[in-house]
Amino acid sequence: MEGEERDAEEVLGSTLTLERVAAAKQFIENHYKNQMKSIQERKERRWVLERKLASSDVPREEQINLIKDLERTETEFMRLRRHKICVDDFELLTIIGRGAYGEVRLCREKKSGNIYAMKKLKKSEMLSRGQVEHVKAERNLLAEVASHCIVKLYYSFQDADYLYLIMEYLPGGDMMTLLMREDTLSENVARFYIAQSVLAIESIHKHNYIHRDIKPDNLLLDKDGHMKLSDFGLCKPLDCRTLSTLDENEVMDDECIREPMDIDGRFADTANGSSWRSPREQLQHWQMNRRKLAFSTVGTPDYIAPEVLLKKGYGMECDWWSLGAIMYEMLVGYPPFYSDDPMTTCRKIVHWRHHLKFPDDSKLSIEARDLICGLLCDVEHRLGTGGAPQIKSHPWFMGTEWDKLYEMEAAFKPEVNGELDTQNFMKFDEIDPPTPAKGGPSRKMLLTPKDLNFVGYTYKNFDAIKAALRNSSSG
């Protein structure tokens, strides 16, 4: 008996040793890869600056000073990369978002005084719900895609229990709040925000990512009213497709919509069907329920493409369907397939030919209707299958200056009173008051099998250093 116990202990010991060896190996490989990438990026920044200066009229003395400034910033960046950043480096402020796996709150970096939005995710939840690949894809996308159309990531790090993303804070609120306040938007206002959404979706598709969760809640406004895409917790690299052999009739089975109902943990199946309502009643009913959804982790499937619900295999085209549903909501006041319960909504989406209708009293232009119908249709005929240029060239966008959208005055100017203003976000109560961190990440490589899932999660943005230096020099 003792021999069997000893053998079991030896097997367990050797298994743990192998797992730790694998974790250490991945840590070292990732560290080396990041070092090489850092050197290459440093060379590229120097090369870009020198080329820019060579083609400018900047005096020689000023050119030398600009190069010295870059070198000073690079030195600070190297110092920051060595610093093991942790949650104690930030003052935790108001909660501005809460989801199935964590929360988002306003925070202030103690050293620089900069204001950010901190997204905090519980590791154990990520592991138990199979979200590891999604959370890694979110971090990778934010680190890779440098676009003014998507929310900027400044830092990512972890401790024993949580993953953290430190992102820019956009105080203008989200499109959902704007729509709830305005009921509907004029075509000119809708055109501006749909156009900015096209640019945002195009920017992530160019990096071979699918967002999969395009909805008004994830379209954020900055202090000037310009829109940026956020929340990449469901994004996937383009080569990761969900394949199945289901047909439309099988969606009636609960199993057929289990994937989209589980991937973000937000959909609930209620038993109530929906009765017929006038467009005005539909609008009021949607707004009443939308506010409830905004305060819960239940969510809505109203923007999900039929091919995702059917699990037939899908690509970037599913994001363009979502954009069509948002455009419909902007102009009509509620989503095209809205129902009392998510199950009925899913059925309507799959059988969209029978349910895509425009209210008799809606005053949409022919071009607007045509674009919506070009987005809310089968994948084979959907606009955007050949890329964003197909959508940009649609007559509804005639006169849109695509390369100047983020330079011109926004269609809507939010009310923002200072950098800590959160009036454009929903209010959330503290469930658990912020507790002091258990110290920063250790320098020792005591990696556990759990840590192996999140090796390489840490990230520091070069632009964050430039912003901090600007603040310190002006302060």
Side-chain angles (χ1 to χ4, degrees):
M1 194 67 164
E2 289 181 5
E4 290 178 1
E5 289 179 356
R6 190 166 53 250
D7 290 344
E9 288 175 359
E10 288 177 359
V11 170
L12 179 61
S14 63
T15 301
L16 288 173
T17 300
L18 288 172
E19 287 177 341
R20 284 175 178 162
V21 167
K25 179 174 180 287
Q26 186 170 337
F27 177 87
I28 293 168
E29 288 175 350
N30 190 75
H31 178 75
Y32 176 76
K33 184 172 124 186
N34 283 340
Q35 287 293 103
M36 298 304 294
K37 183 180 179 184
S38 177
I39 292 170
Q40 183 61 33
E41 287 174 346
R42 183 169 182 164
K43 287 179 179 177
E44 286 179 5
R45 286 192 289 266
R46 175 72 177 244
W47 179 76
V48 168
L49 177 61
E50 288 178 344
R51 280 202 62 178
K52 193 179 293 183
L53 293 174
S55 61
S56 69
D57 298 326
V58 177
R60 177 64 182 164
E61 186 177 345
E62 191 174 338
Q63 288 189 23
I64 293 172
N65 288 335
L66 287 170
I67 291 174
K68 284 183 179 178
D69 285 344
L70 176 64
E71 290 172 349
R72 183 166 68 97
T73 306
E74 293 286 5
T75 301
E76 288 295 321
F77 187 48
M78 289 175 67
R79 187 174 291 120
L80 175 76
R81 285 174 65 88
R82 289 194 295 270
H83 170 66
K84 299 297 180 181
I85 196 166
C86 69
V87 71
D88 281 342
D89 292 320
F90 301 89
E91 178 188 356
L92 306 183
L93 306 170
T94 314
I95 297 176
I96 57 174
R98 182 174 284 136
Y101 305 127
E103 65 182 25
V104 180
R105 71 164 70 228
L106 209 59
C107 69
R108 188 199 311 270
E109 189 175 19
K110 294 176 181 177
K111 184 177 179 181
S112 69
N114 291 335
I115 300 299
Y116 299 110
M118 172 189 284
K119 185 172 183 177
K120 176 182 174 183
L121 300 167
K122 195 169 180 63
K123 280 184 178 180
S124 58
E125 288 290 309
M126 297 294 101
L127 289 166
S128 65
R129 300 199 192 191
Q131 296 297 304
V132 173
E133 291 308 313
H134 291 152
V135 80
K136 284 161 71 174
E138 177 178 30
R139 178 263 181 218
N140 292 342
L141 184 150
L142 288 168
E144 290 172 21
V145 182
S147 169
H148 52 267
C149 308
I150 71 169
V151 65
K152 184 187 289 294
L153 174 68
Y154 287 99
Y155 310 108
S156 62
F157 56 92
Q158 59 181 296
D159 57 27
D161 299 313
Y162 294 97
L163 301 169
Y164 301 88
L165 294 167
I166 306 297
M167 300 172 289
E168 67 176 317
Y169 172 51
L170 301 175
D174 57 36
M175 186 58 60
M176 179 201 71
T177 305
L178 177 61
L179 290 174
M180 288 168 65
R181 187 186 305 145
E182 300 293 321
D183 286 353
T184 60
L185 303 180
S186 69
E187 288 201 22
N188 284 336
V189 174
R191 184 181 293 107
F192 178 82
Y193 286 118
I194 292 296
Q196 289 199 331
S197 302
V198 169
L199 293 180
I201 296 170
E202 180 182 31
S203 69
I204 65 170
H205 286 180
K206 282 181 176 177
H207 284 77
N208 293 319
Y209 284 96
I210 317 168
H211 190 282
R212 300 200 308 158
D213 198 23
I214 305 288
K215 58 185 180 181
D217 316 46
N218 294 335
L219 303 178
L220 302 185
L221 304 179
D222 66 16
K223 61 183 177 59
D224 297 315
H226 288 278
M227 196 237 41
K228 297 193 180 190
L229 183 59
S230 72
D231 198 344
F232 299 89
L234 290 182
C235 74
K236 269 190 174 185
L238 198 56
D239 57 352
C240 296
R241 294 181 176 228
T242 305
L243 299 177
S244 185
T245 55
L246 304 175
D247 60 42
E248 289 191 3
N249 294 323
E250 290 180 279
V251 79
M252 304 303 285
D253 183 345
D254 290 0
E255 184 67 25
C256 297
I257 56 175
R258 184 162 295 167
E259 181 195 353
M261 294 183 76
D262 284 349
I263 51 178
D264 63 352
R266 285 179 294 209
F267 305 154
D269 179 16
T270 58
N272 300 322
S274 60
S275 58
W276 184 90
R277 302 183 185 91
S278 70
R280 188 66 199 169
E281 290 172 330
Q282 183 84 328
L283 172 60
Q284 291 172 344
H285 194 268
W286 163 248
Q287 289 183 326
M288 180 181 68
N289 282 277
R290 195 64 166 96
R291 193 168 292 279
K292 290 177 184 176
L293 292 172
F295 281 98
S296 72
T297 57
V298 176
T300 169
D302 283 274
Y303 311 97
I304 297 180
E307 64 268 21
V308 178
L309 292 173
L310 287 166
K311 300 191 293 185
K312 283 185 170 181
Y314 53 88
M316 64 177 64
E317 304 86 8
C318 68
D319 288 339
W320 298 125
W321 170 285
S322 302
L323 186 67
I326 292 172
M327 180 177 167
Y328 183 105
E329 181 180 352
M330 285 180 174
L331 298 176
V332 174
Y334 50 86
F337 307 104
Y338 173 61
S339 180
D340 285 19
D341 70 287
M343 291 288 284
T344 304
T345 297
C346 290
R347 293 186 182 100
K348 283 185 173 184
I349 290 171
V350 169
H351 301 287
W352 61 268
R353 290 179 189 82
H354 306 298
H355 298 282
L356 179 57
K357 297 181 175 72
F358 296 93
D360 294 335
D361 60 351
S362 62
K363 298 182 173 63
L364 277 67
S365 67
I366 295 173
E367 292 80 9
R369 289 176 183 244
D370 185 73
L371 177 55
I372 290 171
C373 292
L375 295 171
L376 299 179
C377 63
D378 287 333
V379 175
E380 296 79 14
H381 307 110
R382 193 175 303 159
L383 285 175
T385 53
Q390 280 188 340
I391 298 172
K392 289 179 179 179
S393 61
H394 190 275
W396 192 65
F397 289 114
M398 185 176 293
T400 300
E401 298 184 82
W402 293 95
D403 56 344
K404 295 181 180 177
L405 277 175
Y406 282 84
E407 298 170 14
M408 61 193 293
E409 185 177 343
F412 170 77
K413 175 83 172 177
E415 183 179 342
V416 178
N417 301 315
E419 61 180 3
L420 295 176
D421 189 1
T422 60
Q423 66 175 300
N424 294 305
F425 289 89
M426 300 294 178
K427 308 302 179 190
F428 294 88
D429 296 327
E430 291 279 359
I431 297 177
D432 298 308
T435 54
K438 301 174 184 176
S442 172
R443 283 182 176 274
K444 297 178 182 178
M445 281 202 306
L446 298 177
L447 297 174
T448 66
K450 181 177 73 172
D451 295 323
L452 180 59
N453 291 285
F454 304 108
V455 167
Y457 192 79
T458 301
Y459 170 79
K460 299 180 180 79
N461 189 317
F462 182 75
D463 290 336
I465 304 304
K466 291 195 290 186
L469 286 175
R470 281 197 300 271
N471 283 357
S472 61
S473 61
S474 62

